[in-house]
């Protein structure tokens, strides 16, 4: 009879990185606290990107106080669609996507309409810090809405898919594609019901798939295959991730991208404390890869030398049982 759990010893043998080891051995040692604002505040992250020629969504305006909320209609008056997000938001909380604006009525991608008084209340909650790290007073960023690349249209529901890349010492070590679902409310958030598909670092192709801690092969809403999607401009995406990692001076880092129909890969945000669910999507552990990078001299993890490492870290897209983890009918809890 199949088990619905995995023993800790099995996770260790599979090289799974746990939260304590991540915090003590990698985040604490690799990420200076003084650099955290560079990723905790999206406006600062954007500034780093713009200074280094890394694409980001265009900023239409920033509301820094409750008194500035009245400026919102003017800021969006020339834009039919846009995104509003807290500058210091966490886990995708507080992001409002508007797909269409008709006068003072704002329509979300799922078709729900919001009137100005509802939007004004939402902006007030953002500035009050309801969605932010530490519940501190925050800013509301109004920015360009990304149009999903046609390659991902058939696996996108209500929202925009994103790509998470984990870097250690400036080298990409693991990646996944996160796909929104009806259950996730159009958000590419795994904890809310989005799908995660592993991405082969060398080819930029997806394989595997997990949703709500269960292995899946097809999108639950569109029934399209999750494996075999070739992400556009994959090499450009990895190059942008490495350049941003170098600029931010954080040794253990997650960088999130969206792939725009016109612009290609665009940085959404960076994270000094990236989650560990990426290992479930890849059906392999992070720790062996991090240990390999740790052994290398500095010249091997700088500049163009990193491309050879990426090729070494890439592996054949695995079958369900090649990863060393339990078979796909197990639940990983």
């Amino acid at each position: 009879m199949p088990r619905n759990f995995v023993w800790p010893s099995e996770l260790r043998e599979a090289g799974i990185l746990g939260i304590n080891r991540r915090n003590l051995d990698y985040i604490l040692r690799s990420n200076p606290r003084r650099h955290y604002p560079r990723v905790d505040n999206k406006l600062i992250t954007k500034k780093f990107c713009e200074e280094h020629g890394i694409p980001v969504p265009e900023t239409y305006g920033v509301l820094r106080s409750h008194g500035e909320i009245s400026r919102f209609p003017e800021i969006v008056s020339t834009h039919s669609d846009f995104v509003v997000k807290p500058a210091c938001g966490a886990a995708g909380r507080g992001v409002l996507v508007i797909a269409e604006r008709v006068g003072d009525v704002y329509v979300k991608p799922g078709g729900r309409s919001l009137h100005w008084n509802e939007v004004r209340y939402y902006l007030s909650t953002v500035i009050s810090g309801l969605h932010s790290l530490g519940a501190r007073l925050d800013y509301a960023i109004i920015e360009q809405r990304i149009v999903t690349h046609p390659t991902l249209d058939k696996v996108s529901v209500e929202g925009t898919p994103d790509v998470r890349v984990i870097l250690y010492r400036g080298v990409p070590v693991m990646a996944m594609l996160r796909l929104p679902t009806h259950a996730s409310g159009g958000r590419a958030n795994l904890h809310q019901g989005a799908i995660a598909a592993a991405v082969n670092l060398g080819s930029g192709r997806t394989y595997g798939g997990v949703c709500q801690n269960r292995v899946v092969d097809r999108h639950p809403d569109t029934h399209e295959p999750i494996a075999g999607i070739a992400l556009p401009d994959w090499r450009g995406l990895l190059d942008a991730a490495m350049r941003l990692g170098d600029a931010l001076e954080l040794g253990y880092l997650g960088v999130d991208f969206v792939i725009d129909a016109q612009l290609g890969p665009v940085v959404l945000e960076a994270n000094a404390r990236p989650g560990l669910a990426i290992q479930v999507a890849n059906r392999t552990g992070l720790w062996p890869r991090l240990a390999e990078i740790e052994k290398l001299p500095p010249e091997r993890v700088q500049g163009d030398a990193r491309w050879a490492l990426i090729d070494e870290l890439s592996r054949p897209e695995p079958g369900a049982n090649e990863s060393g983890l339990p078979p796909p009918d197990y639940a990983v809890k």
Side-chain angles (χ1 to χ4, degrees):
M1 182 176 178
R3 285 180 282 142
N4 64 352
F5 63 91
V6 179
W7 294 109
S9 59
E10 293 177 306
L11 294 175
R12 284 194 296 270
E13 289 168 8
I16 298 297
L17 181 68
I19 192 166
N20 290 335
R21 175 176 274 179
R22 181 203 67 172
N23 291 346
L24 294 174
D25 291 352
Y26 296 102
I27 292 178
L28 191 62
R29 293 193 318 183
S30 305
N31 294 347
R33 292 287 300 181
R34 66 183 182 278
H35 293 338
Y36 274 42
R38 298 179 178 185
V39 292
D40 288 345
N41 187 319
K42 294 176 181 63
L43 287 173
I44 298 177
T45 306
K46 274 193 166 191
K47 182 179 178 182
F48 271 88
C49 288
E50 290 164 353
E51 289 174 350
H52 291 83
I54 299 168
V56 291
E58 180 184 351
T59 300
Y60 297 150
V62 180
L63 304 179
R64 293 178 166 83
S65 68
H66 292 279
E68 293 188 353
I69 291 177
S70 59
R71 294 178 45 230
F72 180 82
E74 179 187 352
I75 291 171
V76 301
S77 62
T78 57
H79 305 289
S80 60
D81 60 341
F82 51 87
V83 173
V84 188
K85 62 175 65 172
C88 300
R93 294 192 298 269
V95 177
L96 175 65
V97 180
I98 298 299
E100 185 182 4
R101 180 182 57 82
V102 183
D104 65 349
V105 176
Y106 302 86
V107 184
K108 300 173 69 174
R112 184 191 168 201
S113 295
L114 301 176
H115 292 275
W116 165 235
N117 62 329
E118 296 174 283
V119 174
R120 182 170 53 198
Y121 173 76
Y122 156 76
L123 293 169
S124 178
T125 67
V126 170
I127 293 170
S128 296
L130 182 63
H131 313 287
S132 305
L133 291 165
R136 297 174 182 173
L137 293 178
D138 204 353
Y139 299 158
I141 304 172
I142 304 107
E143 68 180 21
Q144 172 189 3
R145 179 189 176 215
I146 295 299
V147 178
T148 302
H149 195 281
T151 300
L152 300 172
D153 275 346
K154 292 183 178 180
V155 287
S156 302
V157 174
E158 293 188 24
T160 305
D162 68 25
V163 178
R164 159 70 58 88
V165 180
I166 300 287
L167 299 100
Y168 180 52
R169 296 181 65 193
V171 179
V173 291
M174 196 170 280
M176 67 176 170
L177 171 68
R178 297 182 292 200
L179 303 168
T181 64
H182 286 309
S184 71
R187 295 182 178 88
N189 187 304
L190 304 187
H191 302 292
Q192 296 175 348
I195 297 169
V199 181
N200 183 283
L201 285 174
S203 67
R205 280 186 169 273
T206 59
Y207 64 92
V210 66
C211 183
Q212 301 282 29
N213 295 324
R214 295 282 179 178
V215 172
V216 295
D217 298 316
R218 293 179 177 272
H219 195 290
D221 302 316
T222 68
H223 307 295
E224 290 290 328
I226 295 164
I229 302 170
L231 298 180
D233 194 15
W234 179 246
R235 190 177 176 92
L237 186 151
L238 290 182
D239 178 69
M242 290 189 287
R243 287 193 288 129
L244 182 57
D246 294 344
L248 294 173
E249 299 180 281
L250 291 166
Y252 186 78
L253 179 70
V255 182
D256 295 343
F257 291 84
V258 286
I259 303 179
D260 183 76
Q262 300 296 326
L263 301 174
V266 174
V267 170
L268 199 59
E269 62 182 12
N271 193 326
R273 317 163 194 84
L276 299 168
I278 193 169
Q279 300 173 105
V280 181
N282 278 263
R283 304 182 194 174
T284 192
L286 265 168
W287 184 76
R289 300 187 183 193
L290 302 180
E292 281 299 312
I293 298 296
E294 215 158 8
K295 296 175 187 175
L296 298 173
E299 61 269 17
R300 289 288 311 280
V301 294
Q302 295 174 355
D304 290 341
R306 291 177 286 192
W307 290 110
L309 283 176
I310 292 170
D311 291 336
E312 290 175 22
L313 289 169
S314 305
R315 57 186 190 147
E317 296 172 11
N321 296 316
E322 292 177 347
S323 64
L325 291 179
D329 57 349
Y330 278 54
V332 181
K333 301 222 174 184

